[in-house]
Amino acid sequence: MKRILMQSTIPYAEDDWHIGRFGMLRDTLAGMRGEDGEVLFDVTARDRDPVDAPDSVLSQLDASTYDELWLFAVDVGDGLTSEDCEAIGRFRERGGGLLVARDHMDLGSSVCTLGGVGAAHYFHTKHLDPDPSRHQNDDTITTDISWPNYHSGANGDYQRIAALLPLHPVLQDVAYLPSHPHEGGVGKPADDDSARVIATGRSAMSGRAFNLAVAFEPSPRIGPAIAQSTFHHFADYNWDPGTGSPSFVSEAPGHALAASPEAQRSIRRYAENVALWLAGYPIPARG
């Protein structure tokens, strides 16, 4: 059995995106079974320790027995210390799998200091998108949130994705992901040949295509990784708005996902495929 750590980059705060707001993902991963019926993953979900010191788990991750880290960067820039980042880097160097998800503007910008995967994340005041034409608002409804803020739809709705060829294994049997009014920016680091954009979305506001996920292929010297444009692809509120959100979420939710079993299945399939790929497990063909 492989071990997954799901972790936020903030200490627990009830009115924020604490790790408890990703419980449906945790249950999905913990419920996965192999062909022999055995449970595949032991899943631990936790928030980070207070930010005035290295996190007790992340700063020692390379010495732990975890096989995967799903890092939800929900901080405003102070969620990772240098000790945390260095240990996460060593964790990948020993073959660990890593998913890093952030959100709009500068939310989650502490991941900029992560080696490799951090370079795939673009923010508003740090590590800007190298394409200056993207330094402008896409979501023009929520005016207090600036770029990058790609509007793929309402929370609680879903978006059709475009899988780039060759089809990456994590996108097998995946056609939809949750939508969100202001997704962040990700892209292939120019100097990293192990990375490529694997899926794009299209703005419901401007019609412009934008990147949803960047995959980093494993090698004998480093483990696999994925940079995700928004943690809302995995949040309970986006899978089911009835679970609630922090009070600062101002947009009215949609209800399209609740009415589409096909989209629900696709979204869970993506999470399952990512878990399998990061663990080095084969992704079985599904009908």
Side-chain angles (χ1 to χ4, degrees):
M1 182 187 301
K2 301 277 189 173
R3 298 192 67 205
I4 296 176
L5 172 63
M6 287 174 45
Q7 172 145 349
S8 78
T9 57
I10 58 169
Y12 175 80
E14 176 60 31
D15 195 31
D16 209 336
W17 295 108
H18 59 80
I19 203 64
R21 295 190 185 275
F22 299 84
M24 297 174 74
L25 171 67
R26 191 208 69 82
D27 291 347
T28 295
L29 301 182
M32 293 176 65
R33 294 179 180 271
E35 292 183 358
D36 58 2
E38 294 297 313
V39 174
L40 292 176
F41 298 107
D42 174 54
V43 183
T44 298
R46 70 183 294 271
D47 292 302
R48 76 152 290 132
D49 298 331
V51 296
D52 56 355
D55 183 75
S56 60
V57 175
L58 292 183
S59 66
Q60 302 294 323
L61 191 65
D62 56 315
S64 75
T65 58
Y66 289 111
D67 301 284
E68 298 181 22
L69 170 62
W70 292 53
L71 187 66
F72 298 107
V74 298
D75 62 275
V76 294
D78 60 351
L80 297 173
T81 67
S82 59
E83 292 89 345
D84 299 334
C85 291
E86 290 165 6
I88 293 170
R90 293 192 300 269
F91 167 77
R92 244 192 108 199
E93 288 171 358
R94 71 159 171 81
L98 176 63
L99 177 136
V100 178
R102 39 70 70 86
D103 201 29
H104 59 256
M105 203 170 169
D106 279 338
L107 197 61
S109 56
S110 65
V111 305
C112 288
T113 54
L114 274 176
V117 181
H121 288 276
Y122 306 139
F123 295 94
H124 186 73
T125 64
K126 302 177 180 179
H127 195 230
L128 278 60
D129 192 313
D131 180 357
S133 74
R134 293 186 176 273
H135 301 173
Q136 59 181 295
N137 289 351
D138 188 84
D139 172 19
T140 56
I141 298 174
T142 307
T143 56
D144 60 330
I145 292 177
S146 191
W147 56 267
N149 59 357
Y150 298 104
H151 194 305
S152 61
N155 296 311
D157 288 342
Y158 59 90
Q159 59 180 307
R160 177 177 285 277
I161 71 169
L164 303 189
L165 298 178
L167 182 71
H168 195 276
V170 301
L171 295 174
Q172 182 175 285
D173 198 31
V174 175
Y176 305 100
L177 284 177
S179 56
H180 180 55
H182 21 254
E183 303 200 24
V186 293
K188 176 193 178 305
D191 59 351
D192 193 334
D193 291 337
S194 75
R196 69 178 178 98
V197 176
I198 60 172
T200 61
R202 188 164 295 277
S203 168
M205 296 285 291
S206 66
R208 188 171 198 180
F210 65 97
N211 298 333
L212 293 170
V214 177
F216 294 75
E217 298 299 320
S219 73
R221 67 174 188 83
I222 202 161
I226 288 182
Q228 199 81 15
S229 63
T230 178
F231 59 78
H232 285 279
H233 293 158
F234 305 103
D236 291 353
Y237 183 61
N238 293 81
W239 289 19
D240 176 7
T243 58
S245 68
S247 62
F248 51 76
V249 174
S250 60
E251 304 87 6
H255 305 285
L257 183 54
S260 176
E262 180 185 3
Q264 293 173 30
R265 179 188 56 78
S266 176
I267 288 164
R268 284 170 172 76
R269 189 75 75 214
Y270 180 67
E272 293 169 351
N273 287 353
V274 169
L276 293 170
W277 185 70
L278 292 180
Y281 288 147
I283 298 176
R286 301 174 174 104

